[in-house]
Amino acid sequence: MFPLGKRAKTTRGAGHLVFECPVETSKLSTPVISGHLGVYPRESAINPHDMMTILNAVSREVAKEIGCSAEAKLPAKTPHTTETWPAGKG
Protein backbone atom coordinates (compact mmCIF):
# COMPACT_ATOMS: atom_id res chain seq x y z
CA MET A 1 0.00 0.00 0.00
CA PHE A 2 1.13 3.52 -0.75
CA PRO A 3 0.07 6.46 1.45
CA LEU A 4 -1.65 8.53 -1.24
CA GLY A 5 -5.18 9.09 -2.50
CA LYS A 6 -7.94 6.99 -0.96
CA ARG A 7 -6.19 3.71 -1.77
CA ALA A 8 -3.07 2.85 -3.73
CA LYS A 9 -1.34 -0.48 -4.13
CA THR A 10 0.73 -2.53 -6.49
CA THR A 11 0.86 -6.24 -7.09
CA ARG A 12 3.05 -8.21 -9.43
CA GLY A 13 2.41 -6.65 -12.83
CA ALA A 14 -0.28 -4.16 -11.81
CA GLY A 15 -0.87 -0.90 -9.98
CA HIS A 16 -4.16 0.57 -8.75
CA LEU A 17 -4.86 4.07 -7.40
CA VAL A 18 -8.20 5.47 -6.18
CA PHE A 19 -8.81 9.08 -5.17
CA GLU A 20 -11.82 11.13 -4.10
CA CYS A 21 -12.99 13.94 -6.32
CA PRO A 22 -16.04 15.83 -5.00
CA VAL A 23 -18.05 17.55 -7.71
CA GLU A 24 -21.15 19.73 -7.46
CA THR A 25 -23.32 17.34 -9.45
CA SER A 26 -23.03 14.52 -6.90
CA LYS A 27 -25.60 14.65 -4.13
CA LEU A 28 -25.44 11.13 -2.67
CA SER A 29 -21.76 10.43 -2.03
CA THR A 30 -18.26 11.57 -2.85
CA PRO A 31 -17.27 10.29 -6.31
CA VAL A 32 -14.02 8.43 -6.65
CA ILE A 33 -11.76 8.05 -9.66
CA SER A 34 -9.88 4.82 -10.14
CA GLY A 35 -6.76 4.31 -12.23
CA HIS A 36 -5.15 1.02 -13.19
CA LEU A 37 -1.83 0.26 -14.84
CA GLY A 38 -1.03 -3.22 -16.07
CA VAL A 39 2.35 -4.53 -17.19
CA TYR A 40 2.52 -7.53 -19.50
CA PRO A 41 3.88 -10.06 -19.22
CA ARG A 42 3.26 -10.00 -15.49
CA GLU A 43 6.70 -11.44 -14.87
CA SER A 44 8.32 -8.25 -16.22
CA ALA A 45 10.80 -6.75 -13.83
CA ILE A 46 9.20 -3.39 -13.09
CA ASN A 47 9.70 -1.54 -9.86
CA PRO A 48 6.38 -1.13 -7.94
CA HIS A 49 7.36 2.45 -7.01
CA ASP A 50 7.88 3.30 -10.70
CA MET A 51 4.41 1.95 -11.49
CA MET A 52 2.85 4.06 -8.73
CA THR A 53 4.83 7.13 -9.84
CA ILE A 54 3.20 6.85 -13.28
CA LEU A 55 -0.29 6.40 -11.79
CA ASN A 56 0.22 9.28 -9.35
CA ALA A 57 1.41 11.66 -12.08
CA VAL A 58 -1.53 10.88 -14.36
CA SER A 59 -4.01 11.05 -11.47
CA ARG A 60 -2.65 14.42 -10.32
CA GLU A 61 -3.23 15.85 -13.80
CA VAL A 62 -6.77 14.47 -13.93
CA ALA A 63 -7.56 15.90 -10.48
CA LYS A 64 -6.09 19.26 -11.49
CA GLU A 65 -8.18 19.37 -14.69
CA ILE A 66 -11.39 18.46 -12.85
CA GLY A 67 -10.65 20.86 -10.00
CA CYS A 68 -10.24 18.55 -7.03
CA SER A 69 -6.47 18.57 -6.44
CA ALA A 70 -6.73 19.36 -2.73
CA GLU A 71 -9.31 16.64 -2.00
CA ALA A 72 -7.49 14.01 -4.06
CA LYS A 73 -4.56 13.76 -1.60
CA LEU A 74 -2.01 13.11 -4.33
CA PRO A 75 1.42 14.49 -3.40
CA ALA A 76 3.86 15.90 -5.94
CA LYS A 77 6.40 13.22 -5.01
CA THR A 78 5.25 9.63 -4.81
CA PRO A 79 5.98 8.23 -1.33
CA HIS A 80 7.60 4.85 -0.90
CA THR A 81 5.95 1.86 0.67
CA THR A 82 7.52 -0.63 3.04
CA GLU A 83 5.04 -3.35 2.17
CA THR A 84 6.25 -6.08 -0.15
CA TRP A 85 4.22 -8.72 -1.96
CA PRO A 86 5.10 -12.41 -1.68
CA ALA A 87 6.54 -14.00 -4.80
CA GLY A 88 3.88 -15.55 -6.98
CA LYS A 89 1.03 -13.48 -5.47
CA GLY A 90 -0.94 -10.68 -7.04
Side-chain angles (χ1 to χ4, degrees):
M1 301 289 274
F2 288 80
L4 54 105
K6 184 172 178 71
R7 181 176 59 248
K9 71 175 190 171
T10 58
T11 58
R12 190 182 73 204
H16 190 77
L17 188 149
V18 178
F19 64 93
E20 293 184 343
C21 192
V23 291
E24 292 179 21
T25 58
S26 177
K27 294 180 175 35
L28 299 177
S29 63
T30 301
V32 296
I33 296 177
S34 174
H36 179 82
L37 175 66
V39 178
Y40 300 98
R42 290 176 59 138
E43 295 76 26
S44 298
I46 186 167
N47 181 313
H49 185 263
D50 292 343
M51 247 191 303
M52 193 53 62
T53 297
I54 293 166
L55 280 170
N56 188 44
V58 171
S59 297
R60 282 176 49 82
E61 286 300 314
V62 169
K64 179 181 173 184
E65 186 69 28
I66 295 172
C68 61
S69 294
E71 298 87 352
K73 300 179 185 171
L74 301 169
K77 183 175 177 174
T78 304
H80 285 273
T81 181
T82 58
E83 191 170 328
T84 57
W85 297 92
K89 302 287 181 184

